[in-house]
Amino acid sequence: MHYLDLNEKKQHGTEDFPVEYYYVDPSHPQYHMPYHWHMEYEMIRIRKGTFLISLDQKEITACEGDILFIHDGVLHAGTPRDCIYECLVFDLNTLKKVSNVCQTILRQITLHEIYVFEHIRKGTSGAMDGPVDALFETMHKKNPGYELATYGYLFLVFSAIFSDHLYLKPDHQTPRNYRRILQLKHVLELIESSYSRDLSLEELSRAAGMSPKYFCRFFHEMTHRTPIDYLNHYRIECASHLLQNTELSLLDVADAVGFHDLSYFIKTFKKYKGITPKKYGQLP
């Protein structure tokens, strides 16, 4: 499996407890959240600073205490700014299985009959603040019996969403531009599977079904990066993981992520990370 799965097919949590928790601070090798999507739902809590998230073609800036809710299949990426944040990825179908009542209520979300607000500001819902804080603390500490508490707090969170009407019904007059999102996903999947080899602009544009000239404009509109800038940034994120989790030499790391010139790799790494790869690999 690749380190940065754009389409995260991996199991989040376990089969019996499909909930995964991530604590992300500046020392995390994936501090900047790359574009990806998954069929589970996700909540992000901002503990400090601000977080700029892209959801398909929408951008939202969340502040300390805010909650971001990400629906299944939504392409998303995040840029933290002096930020510490937590992510909780979970399978909503697990909660639906508890009873017919739960099935009836929660299926409105899984069938996209309603959309939970993507950005819930701190203080918006008094009924939600307490359960959300307790939910993330429970997953962070993982004391004995935390699985039971996690499900309990998730039910309280969704109870608050419905009681405080923190959702909207889809506006069929303004559907999301699924075709453009799908074209971008094809390109990102190609980068994920082939970043370790030479990738030309022509090959990337073919994945989107566009001419190179139009593709460059399209890609920048969607990601605010040029295709080559995005590819190099993705490679450096993969290199960061290898530097902190393997004993590979700098030359082998560079080659593994698609840089066949060591000096260029060092220069590019420093551009994105602010330090040399050698110093990064020595970080605790």
Side-chain angles (χ1 to χ4, degrees):
M1 185 193 308
H2 294 276
Y3 163 56
L4 301 175
D5 280 330
L6 298 168
N7 181 1
E8 291 189 341
K9 309 175 188 72
K10 70 175 184 179
Q11 173 76 50
H12 289 97
T14 65
E15 186 174 349
D16 292 331
F17 185 67
V19 184
E20 192 77 60
Y21 168 82
Y22 303 92
Y23 179 91
V24 187
D25 62 18
S27 67
H28 195 284
Q30 201 174 336
Y31 181 52
H32 290 264
M33 183 187 291
Y35 275 100
H36 67 289
W37 68 96
H38 38 71
M39 296 316 294
E40 293 90 352
Y41 292 77
E42 182 172 1
M43 282 193 287
I44 300 174
R45 181 172 74 152
I46 313 304
R47 291 182 66 119
K48 175 188 174 185
T50 60
F51 189 82
L52 176 65
I53 192 167
S54 298
L55 300 173
D56 284 346
Q57 290 185 266
K58 182 187 299 183
E59 287 192 344
I60 297 170
T61 298
C63 302
E64 182 175 334
D66 290 358
I67 297 295
L68 295 165
F69 189 93
I70 301 169
H71 285 261
D72 57 325
V74 172
L75 183 66
H76 55 288
T79 302
R81 296 168 177 167
D82 188 26
C83 182
I84 296 175
Y85 62 99
E86 300 168 290
C87 306
L88 195 72
V89 184
F90 57 95
D91 184 354
L92 189 55
N93 289 310
T94 303
L95 301 184
K96 288 168 55 181
K97 295 176 182 177
V98 172
S99 71
N100 288 334
V101 173
C102 295
Q103 166 81 10
T104 300
I105 296 174
L106 293 176
R107 72 192 298 271
Q108 298 175 73
I109 298 174
T110 57
L111 292 180
H112 300 161
E113 294 173 355
I114 64 171
Y115 285 94
V116 177
F117 289 165
E118 296 163 327
H119 184 197
I120 302 174
R121 291 181 173 84
K122 182 178 180 180
T124 298
S125 168
M128 187 174 182
D129 289 345
V132 164
D133 290 344
L135 171 63
F136 279 93
E137 287 302 306
T138 295
M139 284 298 297
H140 181 68
K141 294 178 179 177
K142 292 188 176 180
N143 292 326
Y146 77 94
E147 298 93 341
L148 295 173
T150 296
Y151 282 135
Y153 290 129
L154 276 171
F155 276 118
L156 288 174
V157 167
F158 282 100
S159 172
I161 287 170
F162 280 94
S163 65
D164 288 355
H165 209 281
L166 302 178
Y167 61 86
L168 50 80
K169 294 189 176 181
D171 182 356
H172 297 293
Q173 301 302 315
T174 57
R176 290 188 300 168
N177 194 334
Y178 288 105
R179 183 172 180 272
R180 284 169 62 86
I181 299 300
L182 185 60
Q183 287 174 302
L184 180 60
K185 285 182 176 180
H186 287 325
V187 178
L188 298 180
E189 285 182 327
L190 175 60
I191 290 174
E192 177 198 349
S193 64
S194 307
Y195 68 89
S196 60
R197 65 174 178 82
D198 292 333
L199 278 174
S200 66
L201 182 61
E202 287 73 19
E203 189 173 357
L204 293 172
S205 62
R206 281 199 301 272
M210 302 176 183
S211 68
K213 181 179 179 180
Y214 182 76
F215 169 69
C216 288
R217 186 165 65 248
F218 160 80
F219 194 90
H220 193 272
E221 287 175 356
M222 298 291 283
T223 68
H224 305 296
R225 291 180 182 270
T226 67
I228 301 306
D229 178 46
Y230 183 91
L231 173 60
N232 282 339
H233 182 262
Y234 183 87
R235 286 169 166 164
I236 295 304
E237 290 296 301
C238 294
S240 299
H241 175 73
L242 292 176
L243 287 167
Q244 290 199 338
N245 294 278
T246 72
E247 298 299 323
L248 292 174
S249 67
L250 284 186
L251 185 61
D252 287 340
V253 168
D255 189 65
V257 299
F259 288 97
H260 308 303
D261 181 323
L262 182 59
S263 61
Y264 181 59
F265 168 66
I266 294 172
K267 178 181 178 181
T268 305
F269 192 98
K270 190 173 182 180
K271 170 186 173 183
Y272 290 110
K273 292 296 185 180
I275 61 174
T276 64
K278 182 178 180 178
K279 289 183 178 179
Y280 186 90
Q282 295 170 346
L283 292 175

